[in-house]
Amino acid sequence: MLAGFQMGRAPCCSKVGLHRGPWTPREDALLTKYIQAHGEGQWRSLPKRAGLLRCGKSCRLRWMNYLRPDIKRGNITPEEDDLIIRMHSLLGNRWSLIAGRLPGRTDNEIKNYWNTHLSKKLRNQGTDPKTHHKLTAAPEKKKGKKKNKQKNENKKVLTPEKTLVYLPKAIRVKALSCLPRTESTFTLDSNSGSASTSQEKIQSPGEEAKEVNMVWGVGNDGDNGGGVGIFFGEEHDLVNSSSYVECHSDDVHTDHGTLEKLYEEYLQLLKDEEKPADELDSFAQSLLV
DNA sequence: AAAGCTATCAACCGCTCAAAG
DNA sequence: ACTTTGAGCGGTTGATAGCTT
């Protein structure tokens, strides 16, 4: 069908005649050269203008996850490791949010690292990687060797012990083109200020109502005058939003020294085992503002 | 040495949301 | 108010390197 007459949403790209699979060095060079000259954005039309036979989405992904000059290469450090676990316990699978607090790391990298290393590590420590609660049952036995496909099929059959919580849509973290990646805008309920906790009753369709401790916070960036905030709770997917406030976080998190600084702070909190969990949570919240 | 299996991670897919028209 | 488009996100897949039998 002719593009001009296409009803509904057009696919991100026509699959016909486009390259798929691993990128070649030549394609990388073309993309890098083009973005260096013209900047990011306009992903849909970029491939054509850059002389690439790729879909725009693929170009964006390649740039974001691999070619950007500020990508940090090498192994995830134990410090990053701990931060990821902590952030995940508060934010769940919000990889882009987590990645935003780890300079040079991409959401895809963190997601992969979580799935291959950290979830396993937590399980071995007797912690459910989904809920971060202690596992009551013994760790799952290895049931012999299986091919990947079989493994994946098993995943489909097994119903994970996941508490489904139906809440208003999660916040959308919107990257501003004028800001570095680690700076974000948030939507949030701006009716209240400061960090707080509360207990909410949540009901999933067809399920019993469940009481959940909500932890949320609203911070303020005095220097920039930008109100910032976010809701999140003990359980995953408790990010809530009802109105929109745009905020610019300071650039304190963008340099490499910052991670160490933040982590030191975090370690201080961890040293005192008696510290209530809320305090650690507040720390993680502070990373978000 | 070969076959089988596992772990890893780049890339893809499908979806949602916001902005523009 | 509605449609279309662009961008971004999280989940999943599949190629392959490396390990084990």
Side-chain angles (χ1 to χ4, degrees):
Chain A
M1 190 187 271
L2 291 172
F5 295 96
Q6 197 155 5
M7 296 294 286
R9 186 184 172 164
C12 88
C13 56
S14 161
K15 311 266 186 241
V16 184
L18 291 183
H19 287 175
R20 290 167 58 86
W23 280 63
T24 64
R26 188 178 165 275
E27 287 176 313
D28 282 348
L30 275 172
L31 181 58
T32 306
K33 199 177 157 192
Y34 181 86
I35 290 175
Q36 276 168 356
H38 302 93
E40 291 178 33
Q42 308 280 307
W43 295 108
R44 201 181 166 90
S45 56
L46 183 148
K48 201 175 179 182
R49 287 183 278 128
L52 283 159
L53 284 168
R54 289 275 181 176
C55 102
K57 220 169 173 178
S58 180
C59 293
R60 180 187 158 272
L61 199 75
R62 183 65 179 169
W63 175 254
M64 293 296 194
N65 288 334
Y66 201 80
L67 298 174
R68 274 190 307 149
D70 56 330
I71 297 277
K72 195 167 163 185
R73 299 265 155 236
N75 295 338
I76 304 264
T77 65
E79 288 81 10
E80 290 174 312
D81 207 282
D82 267 11
L83 264 180
I84 293 168
I85 293 171
R86 190 72 207 171
M87 296 288 281
H88 186 272
S89 74
L90 292 158
L91 298 167
N93 296 356
R94 295 206 160 70
W95 307 116
S96 61
L97 264 183
I98 296 171
R101 296 299 152 192
L102 292 165
R105 301 295 186 188
T106 70
D107 51 359
N108 207 32
E109 185 181 14
I110 289 170
K111 179 172 59 181
N112 282 334
Y113 187 69
W114 178 269
N115 289 332
T116 57
H117 293 95
L118 294 181
S119 62
K120 207 178 299 169
K121 181 178 162 183
L122 288 181
R123 218 171 283 121
N124 287 341
Q125 290 172 353
T127 305
D128 186 334
K130 284 194 183 99
T131 62
H132 292 262
H133 295 152
K134 286 281 165 206
L135 285 166
T136 46
E140 212 178 300
K141 275 184 200 168
K142 275 195 173 179
K143 292 175 182 173
K145 295 170 181 178
K146 280 190 173 77
K147 281 215 164 192
N148 277 0
K149 270 211 167 155
Q150 291 170 298
K151 229 172 37 180
N152 291 338
E153 265 152 33
N154 282 352
K155 268 193 234 164
K156 286 174 195 164
V157 175
L158 293 169
T159 43
E161 296 171 28
K162 189 173 180 180
T163 311
L164 290 173
V165 179
Y166 291 83
L167 278 177
K169 269 305 202 186
I171 54 163
R172 179 150 187 105
V173 179
K174 192 178 75 177
L176 292 178
S177 55
C178 57
L179 292 172
R181 185 181 150 72
T182 48
E183 297 183 342
S184 306
T185 60
F186 299 93
T187 53
L188 65 139
D189 186 321
S190 59
N191 294 331
S192 318
S194 77
S196 177
T197 60
S198 66
Q199 204 163 60
E200 302 287 338
K201 195 169 256 181
I202 286 164
Q203 187 156 21
S204 309
E207 288 185 38
E208 278 181 43
K210 183 188 174 188
E211 300 249 271
V212 181
N213 287 321
M214 297 288 286
V215 186
W216 60 272
V218 177
N220 230 328
D221 183 352
D223 292 341
N224 291 340
V228 293
I230 189 166
F231 271 86
F232 55 92
E234 186 183 293
E235 299 290 338
H236 297 290
D237 299 318
L238 288 178
V239 181
N240 192 2
S241 71
S242 58
S243 65
Y244 183 87
V245 173
E246 186 172 284
C247 61
H248 295 190
S249 68
D250 209 338
D251 61 356
V252 292
H253 301 321
T254 56
D255 59 303
H256 291 291
T258 308
L259 176 62
E260 283 154 36
K261 205 174 122 201
L262 288 171
Y263 189 69
E264 271 168 32
E265 251 179 83
Y266 168 51
L267 283 182
Q268 277 301 321
L269 289 169
L270 280 181
K271 270 181 197 163
D272 188 355
E273 293 275 56
E274 301 305 309
K275 291 265 187 203
D278 282 357
E279 200 159 330
L280 289 170
D281 291 350
S282 303
F283 170 77
Q285 285 180 54
S286 74
L287 298 180
L288 293 165
V289 297

